[in-house]
Amino acid sequence: MLICALSLYPVRRFAVKLGLMDLPGGHSSHTQVTPLGGGIGIWLGIVGTFAAGTFAVALARGSDSIQAKLPPGVVPYLEGVWIRAGEFWCLLACATVLFVLGICDDRRGVNVAIRLGVEFAVSAFVVYGLGFGLTAFIGVPWLTNLLSVVWIVAVINSFNMLDNMDALSGGIAAIIAGSMAAVMLSTPDPGTARPQLFVAALLLVVCGSLLGFLWHNRPPAKIFMGDGGSYLVGFLVAVAMLMATFAGGGDQPRPHAVLAPLCAMAVPMYDMATVLWIRIREGRSLVKGDHSHFSHRLVGLGLSRGRAVATIYLVTGTCGLAAVLLTHVSLLQAIAVLGIVACMLLLVVILESTQWRKNDA
């Protein structure tokens, strides 16, 4: 959080020289020229924290004196973290590729075909090369691998589409990362019966970096996340959910717990699905920005921009709490939890349908 918050001051100052400025007009709703380099601070916060952490682990694992000063519960994890460090830095390298792609998109614009091609290529490498993928109790490897690639690309673009109001995408991403970190800390790995600290650490660092960004992005925003930030955050959140185990290590199997990521991601996925449906219905381009997003539709219902963002925060937080519950309840209780989430989204649809009928009239 501190690395991101502090690093964004010079980014804001030199944004013009970096060519990272968002001009008013088009589908943008802001009225002042605003820097687009928020993703730089988020990337520095994530990579800088893990670089310091990796260095600290390298020192501690070879020093009995340092280990003696550490909490006893930390020492058993040192060797395991070191073993997975190479794999983890490969993951951060993939995230950096998407971050650079987003920065290029922010500066000059990138052809949609090239952008999607890079997203699918990086996602395929993570799934097929690094071995991170869904299981979902399907038991068909080619299908789960394909679904994993589509999941990563979908989450990346859902966060990118959410970046349309001050503090919206960053706040939602922080809520989702925080809630999924809580799931990881409360759901033991069946193989070790220990909390999934590795994935939780990734999510908490992403959440912390986003909180540092929100210091600058709170209304009126001094800097926007930009494509560089949304691609980076979306990718890491998506992959963290693939790295995780949701069934738990208890005696009672909970296959329904694999729906926890979908539950946590309900709002971004709802926004993306409805925006694409509206564009298809109106015969407009699927990739050209507009004001048909969930947040804009809430403003159309009469909410202020701040209240629209707060409403989406509350819905996202509710879905995040439901995701936490889903990993700890029986099948019948899980049906009730999912029913609550479905009813909440249907309520939103009913409220929005008023505006849709008004527009059609």
Side-chain angles (χ1 to χ4, degrees):
M1 182 177 68
L2 290 174
I3 293 173
C4 179
L6 294 175
S7 64
L8 283 179
Y9 284 104
V11 172
R12 284 168 50 183
R13 181 177 179 181
F14 296 106
V16 174
K17 293 183 179 180
L18 293 172
L20 295 171
M21 299 298 293
D22 191 21
L23 303 177
H27 67 275
S28 299
S29 56
H30 61 285
T31 58
Q32 295 184 351
V33 179
T34 308
L36 273 173
I40 297 175
I42 297 171
W43 181 84
L44 288 171
I46 294 170
V47 173
T49 300
F50 279 114
T54 303
F55 180 70
V57 170
L59 288 179
R61 62 187 293 269
S63 172
D64 293 336
S65 61
I66 294 178
Q67 292 184 24
K69 298 177 182 178
L70 295 175
V74 171
V75 176
Y77 289 97
L78 292 175
E79 200 60 36
V81 170
W82 185 253
I83 290 173
R84 298 192 66 181
E87 176 185 69
F88 182 73
W89 278 100
C90 284
L91 178 64
L92 287 183
C94 292
T96 301
V97 170
L98 291 173
F99 163 69
V100 172
L101 172 70
I103 292 295
C104 293
D105 204 2
D106 288 330
R107 291 192 64 191
R108 302 184 181 90
V110 175
N111 181 274
V112 174
I114 295 175
R115 190 184 75 193
L116 288 175
V118 174
E119 290 176 3
F120 273 103
V122 172
S123 302
F125 174 76
V126 169
V127 173
Y128 293 98
L130 298 181
F132 298 139
L134 293 167
T135 55
F137 297 93
I138 296 176
V140 183
W142 70 265
L143 179 58
T144 54
N145 287 339
L146 178 61
L147 289 174
S148 300
V149 173
V150 172
W151 165 259
I152 296 172
V153 175
V155 173
I156 290 171
N157 286 283
S158 69
F159 279 117
N160 181 243
M161 296 178 89
L162 273 175
D163 191 20
N164 54 70
M165 282 190 183
D166 295 353
L168 181 58
S169 186
I172 290 176
I175 293 170
I176 292 173
S179 62
M180 292 309 299
V183 171
M184 296 300 96
L185 293 172
S186 61
T187 305
D189 188 324
T192 63
R194 295 175 178 172
Q196 300 177 61
L197 295 182
F198 194 78
V199 182
L202 172 59
L203 289 166
L204 287 174
V205 169
V206 171
C207 181
S209 195
L210 286 166
L211 293 177
F213 163 72
L214 287 171
W215 173 254
H216 300 267
N217 190 236
R218 68 192 192 281
K222 303 298 189 298
I223 193 168
F224 294 151
M225 180 183 290
D227 292 336
S230 61
Y231 294 174
L232 170 68
V233 171
F235 173 78
L236 289 177
V237 169
V239 175
M241 293 181 183
L242 295 181
M243 295 167 64
T245 300
F246 294 97
D251 297 331
Q252 182 181 5
R254 296 186 177 92
H256 52 268
V258 299
L259 297 176
L262 285 176
C263 205
M265 286 291 300
V267 169
M269 291 301 180
Y270 171 78
D271 178 71
M272 183 172 67
T274 53
V275 167
L276 293 177
W277 176 73
I278 291 171
R279 291 175 183 175
I280 291 172
R281 185 186 66 175
E282 297 180 355
R284 294 187 283 109
S285 169
L286 295 179
V287 297
K288 187 176 181 180
D290 54 30
H291 289 173
S292 60
H293 293 274
F294 184 23
S295 55
H296 296 128
R297 301 195 301 266
L298 289 177
V299 171
L301 288 173
L303 274 69
S304 67
R305 295 171 69 87
R307 289 185 177 181
V309 171
T311 300
I312 298 175
Y313 278 6
L314 287 172
V315 177
T316 305
T318 303
C319 293
L321 291 173
V324 175
L325 286 174
L326 203 60
T327 59
H328 298 283
V329 298
S330 65
L331 178 59
L332 289 177
Q333 293 168 328
I335 292 173
V337 171
L338 293 172
I340 292 171
V341 173
C343 288
M344 182 175 56
L345 293 177
L346 284 173
L347 177 62
V348 171
V349 172
I350 292 170
L351 291 174
E352 286 196 282
S353 66
T354 304
Q355 183 67 21
W356 296 340
R357 288 196 299 270
K358 186 185 298 184
N359 292 338
D360 290 340

